[in-house]
């Protein structure tokens, strides 16, 4: 049985879970946290981004067996940092989402960027967000929201 700490809560993953089960399906199907989305299944779109030990990670391609016992996982439901609050406020203020499907992964990546770089340049934003796809094409609003969040953080 795998033991994970998901959003600060201990989760005992059933022994019946196959070691190759992607973390995404553990989160969605076994734990019931559906904020993390399935986009492509090949770690190409970013919709499934969560933090594993504080680092943005594509959960669709992270097998359960690759996680250490007691690994710390943060999903969009558990993201409670000052950066994430600023990002979410900016997302709302600038009306970033259209369909919203990619937003949990986008927010996770943007919050991670601001946690590392308080005043990101356009190049920093582009680099951090380059592998996060938005099918609605709201990239300009995403960039503007990241800048707005950075400004609000001072």
């Amino acid at each position: 049985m795998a033991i994970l700490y998901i959003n600060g809560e201990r989760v005992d993953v059933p022994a019946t879970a196959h070691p190759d089960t992607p973390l995404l399906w553990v989160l969605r199907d076994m734990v019931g946290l559906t904020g993390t989305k399935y986009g492509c299944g090949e770690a190409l779109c970013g919709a499934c981004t969560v933090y594993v030990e504080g680092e943005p990670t594509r959960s669709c391609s992270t097998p359960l067996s690759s996680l250490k016992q007691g690994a710390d996982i943060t999903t969009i439901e558990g993201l409670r940092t000052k950066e994430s609050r600023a990002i979410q406020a900016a997302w709302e203020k600038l009306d970033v989402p259209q369909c919203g499907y990619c937003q949990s992964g986008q927010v996770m990546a943007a919050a991670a960027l601001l946690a590392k770089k308080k005043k990101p340049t356009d190049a920093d934003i582009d680099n951090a967000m380059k592998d996060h796809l938005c099918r609605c094409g709201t990239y300009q609003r995403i960039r503007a929201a990241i800048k707005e969040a950075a400004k609000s953080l001072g």
Side-chain angles (χ1 to χ4, degrees):
M1 170 173 46
I3 297 170
L4 303 174
Y5 284 86
I6 301 173
N7 299 330
E9 300 285 324
R10 180 185 165 135
V11 174
D12 296 332
V13 179
T16 56
H18 193 279
D20 289 340
T21 302
L23 175 59
L24 174 65
W25 301 122
V26 172
L27 296 170
R28 291 182 62 81
D29 295 346
M30 296 178 187
V31 182
L33 296 172
T34 57
T36 304
K37 304 299 184 201
Y38 173 83
C40 67
E42 299 192 19
L44 300 172
C45 73
C48 68
T49 301
V50 299
Y51 299 162
V52 175
E53 300 295 332
E55 290 299 317
T57 304
R58 303 297 168 93
S59 63
C60 75
S61 63
T62 302
L64 186 57
S65 62
S66 73
L67 301 171
K68 71 176 186 164
Q69 198 72 312
D72 180 35
I73 313 294
T74 304
T75 69
I76 191 70
E77 292 93 343
L79 190 61
R80 289 180 175 80
T81 63
K82 65 182 179 202
E83 293 86 7
S84 70
R85 287 188 293 277
I87 286 289
Q88 290 169 351
W91 242 244
E92 188 175 327
K93 178 181 178 182
L94 298 178
D95 200 24
V96 171
Q98 278 186 278
C99 80
Y101 199 81
C102 69
Q103 296 308 300
S104 62
Q106 298 273 2
V107 167
M108 297 293 285
L113 169 63
L114 290 182
K116 290 179 180 172
K117 275 231 168 190
K118 300 301 180 201
K119 296 181 190 230
T121 64
D122 284 349
D124 294 330
I125 294 169
D126 291 348
N127 189 49
M129 305 304 289
K130 70 179 179 217
D131 294 327
H132 289 267
L133 302 180
C134 173
R135 292 181 177 120
C136 300
T138 65
Y139 298 110
Q140 295 305 319
R141 289 190 302 212
I142 290 167
R143 178 188 278 163
I146 293 171
K147 287 180 176 183
E148 176 73 22
K151 188 170 44 171
S152 77
L153 290 168

